[in-house]
Amino acid sequence: MIEAFITNLGKYNEGELQGEYLKLPATTEDVQALLSRINVDGVVYEEFFITSYETDIPGLSRYLSEYESIDELNYLASLLEGMHKWELAKFEGLVVYSDNSGAKDLINLAQNLECYEYYPDVKDYDDLGHYLIDELGFEEIPERLVNYFDYESYAEDYVSYEGGEFVDSGFIYRNDADFEEHYKGRADLPEEYKIFNYPLQEKSIQKSLANYKEMIDGISKSVMEPAIAVERNHAHENR
């Protein structure tokens, strides 16, 4: 449902791009393996950021930032994965319709779908008028007057009173149900969705030592090579 491109921040600042997509929902082992591959070991390189997102939900990625919590993204992806097809269609419409900012808001939106009405495949006021009357039975139109009834005007009046918005997949409006903030922050995150962890410490230390050795060898080489060159020149001049 969501893929996040995890990038090693330290390496990025050094001019090197090391990153990889994490497919969510995921496990702790998935996260540790990915971080190990991009050298985020929790010792030398601890920080990372999310360069981009891939998702099946149109418009979702624009509400997710580069520093979202992997645990919260995992929770959100798990909620979406557990939805029925009609619930997912409603959520897709709500992403565009409602005001969201970050994974926290999207998690709460996913947990409050009952606060919105969603009419799929309703593209304009004429569609909406027919849906309200023919499908939902909001008004009884005598059969002899059906051909004369202005469905479009009826729908326009309805929207001016009830509100709502046409989105790509249908029509959505807010009903009278109370929107509850079930998720207030990390303290409310169920344990089973907490997957972030650095690679196993033993492997991290080994990799860190290897990185240090490579760095020291590079420094030593850059310092010693000029000195060796001077010494060779001096020996050549004394011959």
Side-chain angles (χ1 to χ4, degrees), residues 120-173:
D121 301 321
V122 172
K123 303 296 186 181
D124 53 32
Y125 286 111
D126 187 62
D127 284 347
L128 179 60
H130 279 280
Y131 191 87
L132 294 173
I133 294 172
D134 299 340
E135 299 294 329
L136 301 181
F138 276 29
E139 299 284 348
E140 282 192 31
I141 310 299
E143 189 173 346
R144 69 181 185 278
L145 298 179
V146 166
N147 292 333
Y148 302 97
F149 188 78
D150 191 340
Y151 288 90
E152 184 174 350
S153 294
Y154 176 83
E156 288 175 352
D157 287 343
Y158 175 85
V159 172
S160 68
Y161 178 74
E162 293 288 348
E165 185 176 329
F166 294 99
V167 296
D168 288 343
S169 58
F171 179 81
I172 288 178
Y173 78 93

Side-chain angles (χ1 to χ4, degrees), residues 18-217:
Q18 288 196 6
E20 187 177 319
Y21 273 107
L22 175 66
K23 190 172 183 178
L24 298 159
T27 65
T28 297
E29 291 73 23
D30 293 332
V31 174
Q32 289 178 313
L34 184 148
L35 294 180
S36 180
R37 289 193 295 270
I38 66 172
N39 292 306
V40 176
D41 53 17
V43 182
V44 178
Y45 296 102
E46 296 183 73
E47 296 184 88
F48 60 89
F49 67 106
I50 300 173
T51 309
S52 62
Y53 294 91
E54 294 288 338
T55 174
D56 298 332
I57 311 295
L60 182 65
S61 59
R62 79 174 64 133
Y63 298 106
L64 297 171
S65 77
E66 58 185 355
Y67 292 111
E68 295 289 352
S69 157
I70 288 180
D71 290 340
E72 288 187 331
L73 289 173
N74 188 56
Y75 187 25
L76 174 61
S78 298
L79 290 173
L80 298 180
E81 188 179 59
M83 288 183 181
H84 295 293
K85 188 175 180 179
W86 67 269
E87 291 175 313
L88 195 56
K90 180 189 279 192
F91 180 83
E92 289 178 6
L94 287 172
V95 167
V96 179
Y97 174 72
S98 55
D99 184 21
N100 305 290
S101 178
K104 175 178 174 290
D105 285 352
L106 291 165
I107 288 169
N108 276 298
L109 184 64
Q111 295 174 321
N112 282 276
L113 296 182
E114 69 279 2
C115 295
Y116 301 88
E117 300 300 329
Y118 172 65
Y119 305 149
D121 301 321
V122 172
K123 303 296 186 181
D124 53 32
Y125 286 111
D126 187 62
D127 284 347
L128 179 60
H130 279 280
Y131 191 87
L132 294 173
I133 294 172
D134 299 340
E135 299 294 329
L136 301 181
F138 276 29
E139 299 284 348
E140 282 192 31
I141 310 299
E143 189 173 346
R144 69 181 185 278
L145 298 179
V146 166
N147 292 333
Y148 302 97
F149 188 78
D150 191 340
Y151 288 90
E152 184 174 350
S153 294
Y154 176 83
E156 288 175 352
D157 287 343
Y158 175 85
V159 172
S160 68
Y161 178 74
E162 293 288 348
E165 185 176 329
F166 294 99
V167 296
D168 288 343
S169 58
F171 179 81
I172 288 178
Y173 78 93
R174 178 79 164 83
N175 60 31
D176 294 331
D178 291 332
F179 189 104
E180 296 185 37
E181 190 179 20
H182 298 285
Y183 182 74
K184 296 180 175 64
R186 298 291 298 277
D188 294 331
L189 190 65
E191 286 296 325
E192 62 265 30
Y193 301 111
K194 296 178 181 179
I195 59 171
F196 177 78
N197 207 343
Y198 287 110
L200 296 177
Q201 194 64 21
E202 183 179 349
K203 292 182 180 179
S204 296
I205 292 174
Q206 290 173 353
K207 183 167 287 190
S208 299
L209 291 174
N211 288 338
Y212 276 130
K213 184 177 184 305
E214 184 179 342
M215 182 173 61
I216 292 170
D217 288 346

Side-chain angles (χ1 to χ4, degrees), residues 222-236:
S222 64
V223 171
M224 293 300 296
E225 281 182 349
I228 293 171
V230 169
E231 186 175 337
R232 285 176 179 169
N233 290 335
H234 182 69
H236 181 73

